[in-house]
Amino acid sequence: MSEIPTPQSSIAVFIDYENFPVGSNGSQDDIKLVFERLVDKGRITIKRAYCDWSRHENMKPILHELGVELIEIPDNSQKGKNSADIHLAVDALETCLAKEHIDTFAIFSGDSDFSPLVAKLKEYDKTVIGIGRKMGTASLLEGVCDEFIFYEDIVNKEKLPGPYPSYRSKVPKDKQKCYKLLFQTIDSLQSEND
């Protein structure tokens, strides 16, 4: 007898890369960790990042490899500093209205300018997850999101050995990967806001 599949959230990710350069150290490991955290919440169907990519050439291949669509916003003084923010907000609202199957939006930014966007997405009964850095995230944005995750909490937690019980000497080598995954899953569930 097969189990009835449960519905899974469909997530759209929008990255304000000018204000939140994820994995800017040139490694895709950090951004992968963030996406892995989101995959725990559902299936990522859209990944877009907005900025003047001529200033972040080293990240282009890394983000392409991860399936992130790079939206070019040329740095032009006539466009103003918020042109990437406006483009991101318009795309998020268009996605909200045109793609009803997407029920969760992840906004990578700490900019309070996105608070009205978050409020509007919630009006349309969408769940909004904010992801930002501890330094530079506006409390207004953090407060309006359904959930807010700090980038450092994800990245630093994965780099530390973790407070996991010692299992290496007690568990066969071929099962150690499963045990590590189990402890990471428990840790992830405990860190959820809900």
Side-chain angles (χ1 to χ4, degrees):
M1 181 191 251
S2 65
E3 226 176 88
I4 299 172
T6 57
Q8 186 177 7
S9 290
S10 187
I11 304 171
V13 174
F14 294 92
I15 305 170
D16 174 16
Y17 203 86
E18 291 291 339
N19 294 320
F20 187 60
V22 183
S24 56
N25 61 0
S27 164
Q28 72 184 61
D29 292 339
D30 291 352
I31 185 86
K32 269 185 172 177
L33 292 173
V34 177
F35 286 143
E36 285 172 8
R37 178 70 183 270
L38 286 174
V39 167
D40 289 343
K41 299 175 180 305
R43 186 170 56 108
I44 300 173
T45 56
I46 294 175
K47 294 182 233 171
R48 293 183 186 152
Y50 301 78
C51 98
D52 179 356
W53 292 105
S54 66
R55 298 182 343 183
H56 301 280
E57 288 290 335
N58 64 321
M59 285 304 295
K60 287 169 72 173
I62 292 167
L63 292 168
H64 274 300
E65 188 175 318
L66 294 170
V68 178
E69 181 183 356
L70 306 180
I71 309 298
E72 179 70 40
I73 309 292
D75 187 14
N76 183 338
S77 59
Q78 294 175 349
K79 288 189 174 221
K81 84 173 199 62
N82 289 327
S83 58
D85 295 3
I86 293 167
H87 200 121
L88 185 154
V90 168
D91 281 359
L93 280 175
E94 179 184 40
T95 301
C96 172
L97 297 171
K99 296 179 176 14
E100 290 181 20
H101 68 284
I102 294 178
D103 58 359
T104 305
F105 287 74
I107 310 290
F108 289 38
S109 184
D111 193 342
S112 65
D113 290 347
F114 289 111
S115 299
L117 169 64
V118 172
K120 187 56 74 175
L121 291 170
K122 287 170 71 173
E123 269 183 49
Y124 283 97
D125 200 28
K126 305 299 181 183
T127 300
V128 182
I129 302 167
I131 299 174
R133 296 186 185 276
K134 288 182 180 180
M135 293 297 291
T137 292
S139 58
L140 178 63
L141 180 64
E142 184 183 346
V144 75
C145 291
D146 292 302
E147 178 180 359
F148 201 90
I149 303 168
F150 287 109
Y151 176 72
E152 293 88 350
D153 290 345
I154 298 170
V155 173
N156 294 336
K157 184 178 283 186
E158 292 298 324
K159 289 182 180 175
L160 296 172
Y164 310 130
S166 175
Y167 60 87
R168 293 188 192 277
S169 62
K170 301 170 189 159
V171 175
K173 194 169 190 138
D174 63 326
K175 299 200 189 295
Q176 288 182 4
K177 193 173 183 180
C178 287
Y179 272 77
K180 182 178 179 184
L181 180 61
L182 172 66
F183 290 127
Q184 287 174 334
T185 303
I186 292 168
D187 196 34
S188 185
L189 288 170
Q190 288 177 335
S191 68
E192 295 295 319
N193 292 341
D194 47 8

